[in-house]
Amino acid sequence: MKTVGSRASVSAPWRLASAIPAAVLLALATSAPAQAPWPKADPAPTFHFAPQRNWMNDPNGLVYYDGEYHLFFQYNPHGDRWGHISWGHAVSRDLVNWQELPVAIPETEVMAFSGSAVIDWKNSSGFGKDGKPAMVAIYTGFDPRTRNQSQFVAYSNDRGRTFTPFGKVLDIGSTEFRDPKVFWHEPTQRWVMVVAKATEKKASIYSSADLKDWRHESDFGPTPSSRGINWECPDLFELPVEGGKAGEKKWVLSVSQGNDAPNGSGGQWFVGSFDGHRFSLEPGWTDAPVWTDQGADFYASASWNGVPDGRRVWIGWATNLRYAHAIPTYPARGLMTVARTLSLRREGTAWRLAQAPVRELEKYRGAVHRVTNLKVTQEPKVLPLGESLDMRLTLDPMTAQQVTLNLTDAKGYQLVIGYTPATREIFIDRTRSGPHVHDAFAGRHIAVLPPGEREISFRLIVDRSIAELYAEGGTRTITDRFFRGEGALTWSVSALGGEAMIRSLEAWPIEIKRPLSQQ
Ligand code: FRU
């Protein structure tokens, strides 16, 4: 029986653990991949982070310290399916060029589920050493025998390379209590934790003076917009309001939702205020869910603590819980999006979260390929572009009913990125992007642009098996994986039902020269 789109087809990876006895789960997790390596092994992305091998899910412990951005992640060191969950580790000096390091927090009697990391500058925990602050990880320990989920602390005195377990700090006797995001709240001089009471669809707020002793402050949710089986991976941060009153700031609460987002799992977000104790929704906030991305592959997003220039930067796990296990890559299964800078603005009465690839990506741009005033007709015109690039495009649809950029492989499979002027829809269509991956994979994902000029501009990031489309200043994003049948990808552009004009296209190959050990 097919279960496309039904609840049965969507389950958080850890849920398998509650349905299957631990021993069986572990055997499954360490067994050979469920399928033969994808035809010719789908090429690894060049500038998106993927571990060199094995299973990866959520980004964890995002923190900046001493010149390094840390990206820890949910990782199975022993196989390419979910299991033995530990914290993998990568570092970067610029949020783009990542170097994978050994596992930082291994599985013990508990798996190390998602969480966050802080630098304890004031040594409130006493974990600092030799006058240097500790990096403190706060994460969910999942006990496969009891299925209990509680919050654990471990600390590092060597820049995140190794961690000393401190132990359990918060246990409410729940099997659905996970993914603590901790940050320093200056006005109350307290650490704040936002953590999911997952199946209750609550983001629960705790505070602490020392990262060990946690006091419950309040719960946010469920809201009229809550749907699906759960909320996971909450985040809470303050953003300046672009174009707002001088110094105006708002708090953003984001949560990942295990299913019933438009394309399966996804993220939703809220604007409000936060006083260190309680998150209160902005008056008039809509009862409809507001999604972080219109594609299918942006999940478990989390933001960095302590970015030196004050930017708020987040990153997502580029997959969907519907088919995360079926992603046909080998020997690694799991990919992050590019790191994205966030801003908050208004569009009429609506609030918009705008996302843009971090500016550091631009320094990896190779020689530009430029096109101006190119007439586009039904006959596809080939563009001599590569598979890993950063593109800006301004398009006049003129009389066309649809204009598309097509990425075609040697077997004729095609990923289509397009614009339909009548409905002002931008879209990514992966209905025929490659051989069958999973029943829930094929699809067309759309975002609607607000009323405006006939000419539109967008930015497109492509890296071999992922496309990230940013339109309308990044207030509309579509993030989608795709998998080819065979051979190299060829770019072309075409129009349906009339003629269009590419006013300007600039495409830069993104070239990262990694040390040999990282290739
Ligand atoms: C989200 C999630 C988290 C959990 C982790 C386990 O994908 O289910 O809620 O901590 O994955 O790997």
Side-chain angles (χ1 to χ4, degrees):
M1 191 188 75
K2 286 192 179 166
T3 51
V4 183
S6 76
R7 277 165 192 230
S9 67
V10 183
S11 59
W14 68 269
R15 291 195 147 250
L16 289 171
S18 47
I20 306 173
V24 180
L25 179 79
L26 298 187
L28 275 176
T30 48
S31 66
Q35 73 228 357
W38 192 242
K40 312 280 180 291
D42 204 66
T46 66
F47 60 96
H48 286 71
F49 178 74
Q52 291 183 55
R53 58 187 65 82
N54 297 328
W55 167 272
M56 175 180 80
N57 56 294
D58 318 354
N60 296 150
L62 305 177
V63 69
Y64 175 88
Y65 180 58
D66 201 13
E68 290 179 329
Y69 293 92
H70 292 263
L71 167 58
F72 299 92
F73 46 88
Q74 293 285 279
Y75 187 59
N76 179 357
H78 304 297
D80 68 356
R81 298 177 69 77
W82 187 92
H84 294 293
I85 291 296
S86 308
W87 276 28
H89 190 197
V91 289
S92 168
R93 298 199 163 264
D94 59 14
L95 292 160
V96 181
N97 191 358
W98 295 100
Q99 184 192 357
E100 191 179 350
L101 297 175
V103 164
I105 304 182
E107 171 194 40
T108 54
E109 67 283 2
V110 295
M111 293 195 208
F113 271 20
S114 283
S116 50
V118 296
I119 305 303
D120 186 7
W121 290 105
K122 298 185 181 178
N123 200 21
S124 66
S125 60
F127 297 145
K129 197 174 156 193
D130 303 333
K132 293 216 168 116
M135 179 184 294
V136 183
I138 307 94
Y139 60 96
T140 301
F142 170 70
D143 185 333
R145 289 154 306 168
T146 60
R147 288 154 43 192
N148 175 274
Q149 297 183 355
S150 45
Q151 314 321 320
F152 281 63
V153 160
Y155 61 93
S156 170
N157 300 115
D158 60 359
R159 296 154 66 239
R161 271 50 180 186
T162 58
F163 281 81
T164 306
F166 172 74
K168 193 184 277 191
V169 293
L170 180 58
D171 183 353
I172 59 169
S174 170
T175 56
E176 292 285 347
F177 184 47
R178 60 182 179 274
D179 312 338
K181 170 65 186 257
V182 174
F183 60 94
W184 177 252
H185 187 251
E186 188 62 25
T188 53
Q189 293 288 299
R190 284 276 182 286
W191 297 104
V192 167
M193 176 196 293
V194 54
V195 54
K197 288 180 180 157
T199 41
E200 291 176 56
K201 284 165 247 174
K202 285 182 181 165
S204 201
I205 289 164
Y206 289 77
S207 69
S208 172
D210 61 3
L211 294 164
K212 299 170 188 165
D213 220 14
W214 291 93
R215 189 177 89 174
H216 182 241
E217 296 281 353
S218 62
D219 284 348
F220 173 77
T223 62
S225 61
S226 304
R227 300 181 180 174
I229 47 173
N230 58 25
W231 276 5
E232 311 183 297
C233 304
D235 200 352
L236 180 61
F237 47 84
E238 201 176 22
L239 283 180
V241 180
E242 272 182 21
K245 287 174 250 137
E248 191 185 3
K249 290 181 171 183
K250 294 281 172 199
W251 284 81
V252 170
L253 174 73
S254 68
V255 292
S256 287
Q257 193 180 288
N259 67 345
D260 279 0
N263 303 309
S265 55
Q268 68 175 122
W269 61 281
F270 305 87
V271 170
S273 56
F274 178 63
D275 59 3
H277 309 283
R278 180 173 295 278
F279 175 79
S280 311
L281 265 186
E282 185 70 7
W285 182 257
T286 169
D287 281 352
V290 185
W291 306 108
T292 53
D293 192 281
Q294 310 300 316
D297 295 309
F298 188 67
Y299 197 66
S301 60
S303 71
W304 266 271
N305 277 326
V307 177
D309 63 5
R311 276 177 300 174
R312 181 57 58 171
V313 177
W314 76 0
I315 195 166
W317 175 36
T319 198
N320 198 294
L321 296 180
R322 282 180 168 171
Y323 48 69
H325 276 98
I327 291 295
T329 55
Y330 185 84
R333 185 176 277 131
L335 181 68
M336 297 297 176
T337 64
V338 295
R340 302 171 174 186
T341 305
L342 297 176
S343 55
L344 187 65
R345 61 184 77 144
R346 280 183 169 280
E347 191 179 281
T349 53
W351 289 95
R352 298 282 174 197
L353 193 60
Q355 307 182 53
V358 287
R359 60 168 184 266
E360 288 88 336
L361 185 62
E362 291 164 29
K363 71 178 197 226
Y364 293 99
R365 286 173 171 175
V368 68
H369 179 86
R370 202 173 259 122
V371 175
T372 40
N373 294 331
L374 177 74
K375 193 159 42 134
V376 184
T377 62
Q378 194 165 337
E379 191 57 39
K381 284 206 168 91
V382 172
L383 300 169
L385 308 175
E387 298 186 359
S388 296
L389 54 71
D390 181 357
M391 177 194 293
R392 283 187 189 282
L393 187 125
T394 300
L395 181 74
D396 184 347
M398 298 187 352
T399 57
Q401 283 157 18
Q402 198 164 89
V403 191
T404 60
L405 279 167
N406 319 301
L407 264 172
T408 314
D409 78 356
K411 290 234 162 186
Y413 288 115
Q414 214 168 53
L415 180 79
V416 182
I417 298 146
Y419 177 57
T420 311
T423 47
R424 291 189 67 81
E425 285 174 3
I426 52 164
F427 62 86
I428 297 184
D429 188 340
R430 61 180 188 191
T431 320
R432 291 171 292 110
S433 68
H436 181 264
V437 171
H438 183 276
D439 287 350
F441 190 81
R444 187 171 179 275
H445 306 134
I446 60 165
V448 182
L449 305 183
E453 304 287 309
R454 190 174 75 187
E455 228 171 73
I456 64 153
S457 297
F458 57 78
R459 182 159 175 200
L460 178 65
I461 304 279
V462 167
D463 193 5
R464 289 181 170 167
S465 68
I466 182 168
E468 301 184 36
L469 181 58
Y470 300 79
E472 202 61 30
T475 56
R476 274 75 173 171
T477 60
I478 304 181
T479 306
D480 274 344
R481 301 293 310 270
F482 62 100
F483 300 98
R484 73 191 69 193
E486 220 174 276
L489 303 175
T490 310
W491 288 87
S492 65
V493 56
S494 53
L496 264 185
E499 281 182 3
M501 180 80 84
I502 290 187
R503 285 287 168 220
S504 77
L505 178 152
E506 291 173 294
W508 298 265
I510 299 288
E511 294 163 355
I512 293 195
K513 307 259 181 300
R514 286 209 171 86
L516 268 180
S517 62
Q518 286 294 306
Q519 287 175 3

